[in-house]
Amino acid sequence: MDLVFHYADRAKAFIIEAFRLFEYYQRLEGPELDKLMLEILKGCEKEIARGKAICSKTSWAEDYFEEASKLAKELIRDFSRGDYERVEEDLRGILNKMTTCAVKAETENIS
């Protein structure tokens, strides 16, 4: 359960930072900004994929990482489409999944 907590919490921290950067990104202008933000969001997707692969033997955690992984793919798609409202919803959804997963892992460790 320690690995599940670690990777869920790690993904959660990455998403929080991505959310902060996305809000900052929306106030800036320039052609290279889209490329930079896309790479940051792809980093979120990779972080979740890493956690999913490592925590795959814990069946209940696998579901959280799978759902977060789907949302991360939608996040990239929505950003590429310029649907920033959906990007924020995707980020919130991923954050919710990883927070819940981390709390459950912590609870499982206590039990």
Side-chain angles (χ1 to χ4, degrees):
M1 300 311 159
D2 289 334
L3 277 177
V4 173
F5 176 80
H6 173 76
Y7 281 95
D9 197 55
R10 182 175 156 149
K12 185 181 80 168
F14 202 111
I15 296 301
I16 290 170
E17 188 62 18
F19 211 130
R20 186 188 69 75
L21 290 170
F22 181 68
E23 289 173 344
Y24 183 71
Y25 156 83
Q26 291 183 81
R27 295 190 302 263
L28 301 174
E29 294 180 20
E32 295 299 310
L33 288 175
D34 287 347
K35 292 177 186 175
L36 175 62
M37 193 68 225
L38 183 59
E39 289 305 310
I40 292 167
L41 297 177
K42 285 180 180 177
C44 293
E45 183 181 32
K46 288 177 188 173
E47 189 65 32
I48 292 165
R50 181 177 297 116
K52 181 180 167 187
I54 292 171
C55 300
S56 65
K57 290 185 173 47
T58 306
S59 61
W60 64 263
E62 187 177 23
D63 295 339
Y64 287 103
F65 279 99
E66 180 63 36
E67 291 174 29
S69 182
K70 287 178 186 174
L71 285 169
K73 287 175 181 30
E74 292 174 18
L75 171 69
I76 302 300
R77 182 201 64 210
D78 293 337
F79 180 79
S80 297
R81 290 179 179 171
D83 188 349
Y84 296 157
E85 191 172 303
R86 286 289 311 157
V87 168
E88 289 180 355
E89 288 178 32
D90 297 335
L91 285 167
R92 280 187 197 98
I94 296 167
L95 184 57
N96 183 40
K97 293 294 175 196
M98 291 296 91
T99 300
T100 304
C101 184
V103 167
K104 184 168 181 168
E106 193 170 46
T107 303
E108 294 285 325
N109 282 337
I110 293 171
S111 298

